[in-house]
Amino acid sequence: FRVGHDNFCLIHVSLVPVVGAVGEPKTKPTQASVRDLRGLGLSPDILACRSAQPFEDGIREKLSMFCQVAPHQIFSVHDCESLYHIPVLLRQQGILDVLTKRLQLGQLDIPSEIAHEGEQLWAQWREFARRHTRSLDRATIAVVGKYTDLADSYASVVKALEHAALNVNRKIQINWVEASDLEEATMHKDPLKYHEAWQRMCASDGILVPGGFGERGVEGMILAAKWAREHKLPYLGICLGMQVAVIEFARNMCGMANAFSAEFDKDCEMPAVVFMPEIDPTTMGGTMRLGSRPTKFQDTEFARACMIKQLYGGKDEVHERHRHRYEVNPKIVDDLESKGLHFVGRDAETGERMEILELADHPYFVAAQYHPEYITRPLSPSPPFLGLLLAASKQLDAYLAGQDLVTEAETKLKM
């Protein structure tokens, strides 16, 4: 190999299915896949065997014999309490020793401060995994969306909520609310579904409106944003969730009764959300504003002290990933801000595209045009999601004041 033998380690992940009434593990699939791998000129250094249960006696030795991999280099990756326990499971089986020998990591001179940082990171990961299995207090978030029948549509949002919740010592409970069920039309068509949807949302500790396309359910999202604003309920809007928050505020606080989005009504009298001017509205393919782009916090009295900037660590500029065609109409921004809806973050390229909003005199009402859930990490939760969970669990003020959120017996996670 061009990188050198000691700089390359091949880990082959294979399935060891457990079949039959007696639950007998079968090694033939792994044997066959290793044979095919060697036919391509690759020999695995480590076998990571997925299975529903831990290895029985003799399975590791059998795999070693037929796959020609040393027994101590074969690892059982069986079902655990959570995905976050897999690194703990592998370490218990000695994977660090195998990697250290295979890659000759023992010959490296690692500075003590980096070694200490690694130990702290491992302690935080173990604490994170431990919290997932503990009986923690629950924080309930209503996700008001368009595709709630298929929860996988919001897989990134779910993970972002989970990461943020465990970092603030809470278990997340998601109340899925179909946006269209909140609308008046549903009250006449199916009163039971209508009242159940409102009950789930009203019983939640916070509301999240994620992104989406198309007009269906938009009025229900607007009602959710109104409920959160009027009842001081923590709110996070993402992409479309930001746009509906702007439409709701324009209608009910700025006297723009006909405010709507040009995405859903091209001829609306008061477009609060418009097509981005640099994009051809007649061509749909490849016209989205995509990728990581900088957002600059504004140099205003409100923006300098706003909650979302503090959650981002006081940074003047943040980079987040985008995926949209429409944006807040810059012509109505002054009217919105005069009533308390502040656009604290704008794009760093032109300064005219609204990226982050925060409502004054509210426990937590934040929305972003970008998708912060795309870059969430277990030990580094997305700041907007972190703020939502902190507010929903009544810990936001303490966190912003610099107070610890854990007891002395727990490991503090890096946030």
Side-chain angles (χ1 to χ4, degrees):
F1 297 100
R2 288 177 296 174
V3 298
H5 180 71
D6 295 334
N7 296 318
F8 180 83
C9 180
L10 176 59
I11 302 177
H12 178 54
V13 181
S14 180
L15 177 67
V16 178
V18 178
V19 298
V22 296
E24 180 185 1
K26 295 294 184 180
T27 62
K28 285 293 184 181
T30 300
Q31 296 177 38
S33 63
V34 170
R35 183 179 63 249
D36 292 342
L37 193 63
R38 287 205 167 94
L40 299 173
L42 296 171
S43 295
D45 298 296
I46 293 175
L47 291 183
C49 300
R50 277 290 292 119
S51 182
Q53 61 189 31
F55 281 159
E56 296 180 354
D57 293 341
I59 295 298
R60 183 176 275 107
E61 289 72 19
K62 184 177 180 181
L63 284 168
S64 175
M65 179 185 302
F66 289 102
C67 298
Q68 298 177 2
V69 178
H72 68 280
Q73 294 173 219
I74 301 175
F75 296 89
S76 171
V77 190
H78 49 266
D79 291 353
C80 295
E81 295 168 307
S82 76
L83 184 65
Y84 309 116
H85 285 79
I86 297 299
V88 180
L89 174 67
L90 291 173
R91 182 166 185 173
Q92 290 173 346
Q93 296 180 61
I95 195 170
L96 288 185
D97 296 333
V98 173
L99 291 174
T100 299
K101 182 178 180 180
R102 176 65 184 81
L103 300 174
Q104 298 188 11
L105 300 179
Q107 298 180 9
L108 299 178
D109 184 16
I110 302 177
S112 58
E113 58 270 16
I114 295 181
H116 178 69
E117 183 179 346
E119 293 172 357
Q120 290 292 105
L121 182 63
W122 178 243
Q124 291 170 13
W125 183 272
R126 292 186 64 182
E127 170 63 18
F128 185 86
R130 186 180 70 89
R131 289 185 185 184
H132 192 276
T133 59
R134 286 184 56 201
S135 298
L136 302 174
D137 292 337
R138 291 188 177 274
T140 305
I141 302 297
V143 177
V144 182
K146 296 162 59 71
Y147 322 113
T148 56
D149 288 339
L150 183 62
D152 281 354
S153 300
Y154 300 113
S156 297
V157 170
V158 172
K159 285 299 178 184
L161 287 170
E162 184 177 280
H163 295 167
L166 291 176
N167 273 270
V168 302
N169 232 14
R170 293 293 187 272
K171 278 287 186 69
I172 185 67
Q173 178 178 321
I174 298 177
N175 284 344
W176 296 101
V177 179
E178 180 65 32
S180 58
D181 291 347
L182 299 173
E183 298 173 2
E184 186 176 353
T186 304
M187 180 177 66
H188 301 294
K189 182 180 178 181
D190 192 337
L192 180 60
K193 182 182 291 186
Y194 173 82
H195 290 292
E196 286 179 346
W198 274 98
Q199 192 278 330
R200 286 196 302 274
M201 187 179 74
C202 296
S204 300
D205 301 315
I207 296 175
L208 187 151
V209 178
F213 296 93
E215 186 176 2
R216 181 180 63 82
V218 168
E219 290 296 338
M221 294 179 179
I222 293 172
L223 290 170
K226 181 181 180 182
W227 178 269
R229 178 180 60 81
E230 293 181 342
H231 292 83
K232 304 291 185 181
L233 200 64
Y235 176 89
L236 175 61
I238 299 172
C239 198
L240 180 59
M242 172 177 171
Q243 296 171 7
V244 299
V246 169
I247 294 171
E248 186 280 322
F249 196 85
R251 287 180 179 179
N252 298 300
M253 297 299 293
C254 299
M256 306 177 190
N258 296 319
F260 205 37
S261 171
E263 178 182 1
F264 314 125
D265 183 1
K266 296 179 181 179
D267 301 319
C268 66
E269 299 179 13
M270 180 55 65
V273 178
V274 297
F275 206 89
M276 290 187 293
E278 69 270 28
I279 295 177
D280 179 9
T282 62
T283 305
M284 297 304 291
T287 59
M288 300 187 75
R289 184 169 178 258
L290 299 169
S292 178
R293 297 174 182 267
T295 295
K296 187 177 182 62
F297 283 101
Q298 299 302 288
D299 189 19
T300 64
E301 182 178 357
F302 183 88
R304 286 192 293 269
C306 67
M307 290 181 287
I308 187 62
K309 182 173 183 177
Q310 295 180 64
L311 289 165
Y312 272 107
K315 297 178 181 178
D316 292 327
E317 186 174 294
V318 296
H319 289 255
E320 296 277 3
R321 291 171 58 184
H322 293 69
R323 189 173 183 268
H324 66 107
R325 289 191 184 93
Y326 292 82
E327 64 181 10
V328 176
N329 188 350
K331 295 180 181 179
I332 68 169
V333 167
D334 289 343
D335 292 333
L336 297 172
E337 291 193 319
S338 68
K339 296 294 185 179
L341 190 67
H342 297 272
F343 293 91
V344 297
R346 305 189 184 192
D347 72 305
E349 298 150 341
T350 67
E352 297 180 357
R353 180 168 286 125
M354 306 304 120
E355 294 281 5
I356 310 173
L357 67 79
E358 183 175 313
L359 181 63
D361 302 320
H362 193 283
Y364 188 79
F365 194 102
V366 170
Q369 184 60 68
Y370 50 77
H371 289 263
E373 72 273 20
Y374 288 166
I375 58 174
T376 182
R377 297 293 182 270
L379 297 181
S380 181
S382 168
F385 283 86
L386 181 64
L388 177 66
L389 267 297
L390 285 167
S393 58
K394 306 293 191 295
Q395 300 182 88
L396 181 57
D397 291 339
Y399 177 82
L400 296 179
Q403 300 177 22
D404 290 341
L405 304 181
V406 298
T407 64
E408 295 180 359
E410 297 170 325
T411 300
K412 183 179 179 181
L413 301 185
K414 182 181 179 181
M415 291 187 288

